[in-house]
Amino acid sequence: MKTNYLAIDIGGTNIKYAILNKSGNIISKGKIPTSCDDSQTFLDLLFNIIEPRINQIRGIAISVPGKVDTKTGTVYYGGALPFLDGLKIREILEKRYKVITSLENDGKAAALAELWLGNLKGIENGLALVLGTGVGGGIIIN
């Protein structure tokens, strides 16, 4: 039974990815440049990351700039990657690979990760500030 997950962080400069176990331990990782300016080229980059790893994973988690409808897995605006606007990433990946896929805004994903295993663990109210090609943030309020 597959027990690992593929986490993908989509940034304006690089797409970083890792295979994680259910405890959040990194098994393998890598990165590629986000060298594209249209949605199809972008999807091809994702496919090239996912396909060699699909037999190792039971799900995909993606953090992405912009506003994210987490119920549908649709990106709006896209921050430094405006071609992401309206892209239904979750639907595309679930249809192609038949694995559960979730999307979250990159700032919020960083805050949730810090709450789970990082510097916000045990903190009632906190903030994760993401500095990269753009600036993002996620707030945790209990």
Side-chain angles (χ1 to χ4, degrees):
M1 180 176 169
K2 300 181 227 178
T3 59
N4 297 323
Y5 299 87
L6 176 59
I8 301 173
D9 175 41
I10 298 166
T13 304
N14 291 299
I15 300 173
K16 299 172 189 162
Y17 57 91
I19 299 285
L20 307 165
N21 66 19
K22 65 182 179 180
S23 298
N25 298 310
I26 297 173
I27 296 167
S28 65
K29 64 181 178 176
K31 73 177 180 176
I32 60 170
T34 312
S35 53
C36 57
D37 55 9
D38 65 88
S39 59
Q40 188 55 57
T41 305
F42 167 76
L43 288 171
D44 289 340
L45 290 173
L46 284 185
F47 299 157
N48 289 335
I49 292 169
I50 297 166
E51 285 177 12
R53 295 162 182 84
I54 194 64
N55 291 327
Q56 302 172 49
I57 60 171
R58 65 181 298 160
I60 301 170
I62 300 176
S63 67
V64 61
K67 185 175 179 179
V68 177
D69 181 334
T70 57
K71 292 186 185 357
T72 66
T74 305
V75 179
Y76 296 100
Y77 173 58
L81 305 172
F83 58 84
L84 294 178
D85 185 43
L87 193 60
K88 299 175 184 289
I89 296 174
R90 179 174 144 197
E91 180 181 306
I92 292 165
L93 297 182
E94 286 186 345
K95 183 176 181 181
R96 184 174 178 126
Y97 296 110
K98 311 291 188 255
V99 296
I100 295 171
T101 302
S102 65
L103 258 67
E104 186 59 79
N105 166 269
D106 54 1
K108 187 170 181 183
L112 290 169
E114 290 295 334
L115 183 65
W116 179 35
L117 295 173
N119 289 321
L120 293 178
K121 190 172 185 170
I123 300 295
E124 187 173 331
N125 301 308
L127 167 72
L129 184 60
V130 180
L131 303 173
T133 306
V135 178
I139 299 173
I140 302 298
I141 300 174
N142 290 325

